[in-house]
Amino acid sequence: MKLLVRWSVIASLLGSSVLGPVLLDQSSAIALPEAEVLERLQSVPVFTVTNAQGSPVLASNPQEKNGPQVATFFVSQKEAQGFLSQVKARNAELGKTAKVVPTPLGKAVEVARQNKEKNIAFQFVPTQEDVKSAEALLRKQDPNFKKFNDVPLFYAMDTKTKGLLSLTTSQDKSKIIPLYFNQKDLQVIVDQLKKENPQLGATTQIQVTSLSNVVASMLKENSPEISQITLVPSAESRAFLSTLPQSAPAPQKP
């Protein structure tokens, strides 16, 4: 393990919109033509409920009569199953064919871009556990902090050098900066670091940023550090995907 001392990377990750809205801004969706960014998001699974045609099931906000319909992608397969149960309870006919489908995050963003002209919003929903973890970390910095309204991503930082923790892969020895969807997964790495290097472990802390900020940084920054950012799915998502065939269906246009 090696720390990359590069404050500029942290600054770009922790922008003022870290507490931004959970709904993906349409302007952000339009601004994602870069194939490289989409390809790097392919390793992250998200889950959506689709109909018989393979299109995401759309929901509407009863408080907004003329508001957009919402296509929802869940970070957790279990929470997507919970949404499927709601669909079946509210629409028995649709519930007969509706099902939870895993799809790469890059593909979900691509679908959002393809439907940018339609009155559709795209929502990425984190787990409540991860949101609570993010809020607890942020309240340590600001006791008056209220609510985290995005998909949280957790990373390790050396508070002494302000560098981000990087790891060396076992396959090709390349360096990555891992950002975890689940804090517990990162805690395992931090605990290991404290055992192997107590001095460095003493100044290493877990921090939180948002998926929106990270994707925005990947789009506007062109540096070796940004290219090393790797999103790490939760253990739940990895375990679920290991039970699937090599090629899983992707959602079609709503």
Side-chain angles (χ1 to χ4, degrees):
M1 299 181 184
K2 182 181 178 181
L3 286 177
L4 293 177
V5 184
R6 188 64 180 265
W7 172 251
S8 61
V9 178
I10 298 178
S12 66
L13 290 176
L14 298 179
S16 60
S17 61
V18 65
L19 309 180
V22 69
L23 287 179
L24 179 67
D25 183 38
Q26 287 293 346
S27 61
S28 297
I30 296 173
L32 291 177
E34 289 83 353
E36 180 180 353
V37 174
L38 294 176
E39 179 63 27
R40 291 173 62 190
L41 299 178
Q42 292 297 89
S43 62
V44 180
V46 290
F47 305 87
T48 189
V49 175
T50 65
N51 58 21
Q53 289 73 43
S55 299
V57 172
L58 302 179
S60 59
N61 187 344
Q63 298 179 352
E64 297 183 22
K65 294 183 179 180
N66 298 320
Q69 291 184 299
V70 180
T72 304
F73 293 88
F74 295 86
V75 172
S76 167
Q77 186 265 347
K78 292 181 180 178
E79 295 201 6
Q81 289 289 350
F83 179 61
L84 175 60
S85 298
Q86 296 180 28
V87 170
K88 291 182 177 180
R90 296 178 182 179
N91 190 325
E93 188 63 27
L94 175 60
K96 292 179 181 179
T97 57
K99 60 182 179 180
V100 173
V101 174
T103 188
L105 176 59
K107 182 63 178 179
V109 173
E110 184 179 11
V111 170
R113 290 175 53 241
Q114 292 171 347
N115 290 274
K116 60 182 179 293
E117 302 298 333
K118 299 180 181 179
N119 190 31
I120 301 175
F122 291 81
Q123 180 177 222
F124 293 88
V125 180
T127 67
Q128 289 302 308
E129 176 189 4
D130 295 331
V131 171
K132 289 180 180 179
S133 296
E135 291 176 343
L137 288 173
L138 291 171
R139 288 194 182 105
K140 289 182 180 180
Q141 304 173 20
D142 179 8
N144 296 320
F145 175 79
K146 298 299 181 182
K147 188 176 181 181
F148 191 92
N149 292 319
D150 208 315
V151 176
L153 291 173
F154 303 91
Y155 62 97
M157 183 184 74
D158 180 13
T159 57
K160 184 177 181 180
T161 63
K162 305 303 181 183
L164 293 179
L165 181 71
S166 69
L167 303 177
T168 301
T169 63
S170 58
Q171 294 180 340
D172 57 6
K173 305 303 180 182
S174 61
K175 289 184 173 59
I176 64 170
I177 299 175
L179 305 182
Y180 291 79
F181 279 82
N182 185 269
Q183 182 183 355
K184 292 180 180 179
D185 293 340
L186 175 57
Q187 188 66 54
V188 173
I189 302 297
V190 173
D191 291 343
Q192 178 184 348
L193 174 63
K194 290 181 178 180
K195 291 180 179 180
E196 297 179 357
N197 191 332
Q199 183 177 359
L200 181 58
T203 58
T204 299
Q205 290 185 357
I206 293 179
Q207 304 285 340
V208 61
T209 183
S210 70
L211 178 62
S212 298
N213 274 2
V214 171
V215 173
S217 296
M218 292 169 67
L219 288 169
K220 65 183 180 182
E221 297 286 342
N222 185 14
S223 68
E225 290 79 10
I226 289 293
S227 66
Q228 291 172 354
I229 289 177
T230 300
L231 305 187
V232 183
S234 67
E236 176 207 329
S237 295
R238 298 196 303 270
F240 176 78
L241 289 181
S242 67
T243 66
L244 298 177
Q246 290 297 318
S247 59
Q252 305 300 314
K253 296 181 181 181

